[in-house]
């Protein structure tokens, strides 16, 4: 190792240690926003344990019920294109509060649904609120948190992981009693988060320049961000195949499904915070990303084989392993999206999320339809192919992705 590379390695190591030390020393506004983000992300996995119950009570097929994810993520993806335009004109705090208010309204309406199509429509409105909140929350946390961008992103990913893990648990505890209850429970939690942010989050200053509507799409003209987003599109296809399709093959009640996905979410949360950063520092983003994608593809092939053999214990183990691998990649993708281009972070985040959530919108319906038409193993094999494509895209653009990497420790 040369003297220059040794200096860079030492600086990177010192930076990592400083960010770890400052992780828990954050302003109240950061914690309030992070907790609200936990509640918002609970909405993703909330319906998982009650998907079979919704199908039974509303007389819907699995593919019809999967549209609860599709409408939610499709609207979230498209709305990402306008979040920067809105927040740059009214401020981050107001945008967060509008997003929370929409979630409260549409989560409440979801609990009153009389048909699966009403529920799909209300989930679309929920997705709009989610987009306004989630995209702005990351920018607010990055702007207010102490310890640098990496610390802020880890906080955000911790909130995502905790929310995704708690969502199935809350969905199971309430949904085991009545399938409508999780929706009203989420509305209550989001109302509490609304009050907390009104009280604790200071008024956020308007940016010096207003964001144009076309800015997120224009940002995707950068090869590094375009590579990150394109890879994440196929990655999210694999992610949400697991989340949306597995509940239909477990043969469990709401409590059983909720327990499985609680374990999945805990694994995701732990690796996103404690495993991803040291791996990135040691091996670099591209190696961690592609290596984890390869392992995920193998995991999904295993899920397909387990589904073919009707081995529920194997499915459970592989789902939790998938959660651990997904947690690592969530952090890597987010850090790449925020730092690989020169676009302002909110703009880069909006463009990236527009593309990646399209993958999340497509996967649930495609996976369940494939399962209905061709059998339970096929969705997992299709998702494994999607992850291989994600890996190929990352490798093809590795030069662009590596330009902003810190020196390996």
């Amino acid at each position: 190792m040369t003297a220059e590379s040794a200096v860079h390695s030492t600086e990177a190591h010192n930076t990592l240690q400083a960010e770890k030390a400052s992780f828990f020393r954050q302003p109240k506004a950061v914690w309030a926003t992070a907790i609200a983000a936990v509640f918002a992300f609970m909405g993703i996995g909330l319906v998982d344990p009650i998907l079979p119950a919704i199908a039974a009570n509303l007389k819907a097929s699995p593919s019809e019920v999967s549209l609860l994810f599709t409408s939610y993520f499709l609207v979230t993806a498209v709305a990402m294109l306008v979040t920067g335009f809105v927040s740059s004109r009214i401020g981050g705090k107001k945008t967060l509060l509008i997003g929370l208010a929409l979630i409260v309204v549409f989560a409440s309406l979801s609990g009153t649904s009389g048909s699966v199509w009403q529920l799909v429509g209300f989930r679309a409105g929920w997705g709009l609120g989610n987009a306004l909140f989630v995209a702005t929350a990351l920018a607010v946390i990055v702007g207010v948190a102490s310890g640098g961008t990496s610390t802020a992103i880890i906080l955000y990913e911790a909130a995502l992981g905790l929310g995704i893990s708690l969502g199935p648990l809350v969905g199971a505890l309430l949904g085991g009693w009545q399938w409508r209850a999780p929706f009203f429970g989420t509305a209550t939690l989001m109302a509490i988060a609304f009050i907390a942010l009104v009280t604790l989050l200071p008024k956020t200053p308007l940016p010096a320049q207003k964001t144009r509507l076309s800015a997120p799409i224009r940002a995707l003209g950068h090869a590094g961000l375009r590579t990150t987003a394109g890879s994440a599109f196929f990655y999210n296809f694999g992610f949400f195949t697991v989340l949306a399709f597995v509940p239909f093959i477990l043969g469990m009640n709401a409590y059983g499904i909720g327990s499985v996905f609680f374990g999945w979410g805990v694994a995701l949360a732990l690796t996103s915070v404690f495993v991803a950063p040291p791996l990135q520092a040691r091996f670099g983003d591209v190696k961690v990303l592609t290596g984890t994608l390869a392992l995920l593809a193998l995991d999904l092939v295993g899920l397909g084989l387990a589904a073919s053999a009707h081995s529920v214990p194997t499915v459970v183990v592989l789902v939790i392993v998938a959660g651990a691998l997904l947690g690592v990649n969530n952090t890597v993708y987010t850090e790449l999206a925020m730092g690989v281009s020169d676009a302002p972070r909110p703009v880069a985040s909006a463009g990236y999320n527009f593309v990646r959530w399209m993958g999340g919108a497509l996967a649930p319906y495609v996976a369940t339809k494939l399962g209905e038409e061709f059998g339970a193993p096929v969705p997992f094999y299709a998702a494994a192919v999607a992850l291989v494509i994600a890996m190929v895209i990352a490798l093809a653009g590795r030069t662009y992705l590596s330009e902003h990497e810190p020196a390996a420790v």
Side-chain angles (χ1 to χ4, degrees), residues 41-42 44-45 159-168 239 261 264-265 268:
F41 286 123
M42 282 172 56
I44 295 175
L160 186 153
L162 190 57
I164 286 180
S165 64
L166 289 176
F239 188 119
F261 278 95
W264 171 83
L268 187 152

Side-chain angles (χ1 to χ4, degrees), residues 7 21 46 56 66 103 105 124 143 152 181 189 191 247 267 278 289 291 336 351 356 378 401:
V7 169
L46 180 85
S66 76
I103 295 173
V105 170
L189 289 173
L289 188 70
L336 281 172
R356 74 147 174 165
V378 174
L401 301 183

Side-chain angles (χ1 to χ4, degrees), residues 309-335:
H310 305 288
S311 177
V312 173
T314 305
V315 170
V316 170
V317 171
L318 290 175
V319 164
I320 293 172
V321 170
L325 296 170
L326 291 166
V328 172
N329 268 2
N330 276 359
T331 297
V332 178
Y333 272 117
T334 302
E335 291 201 13

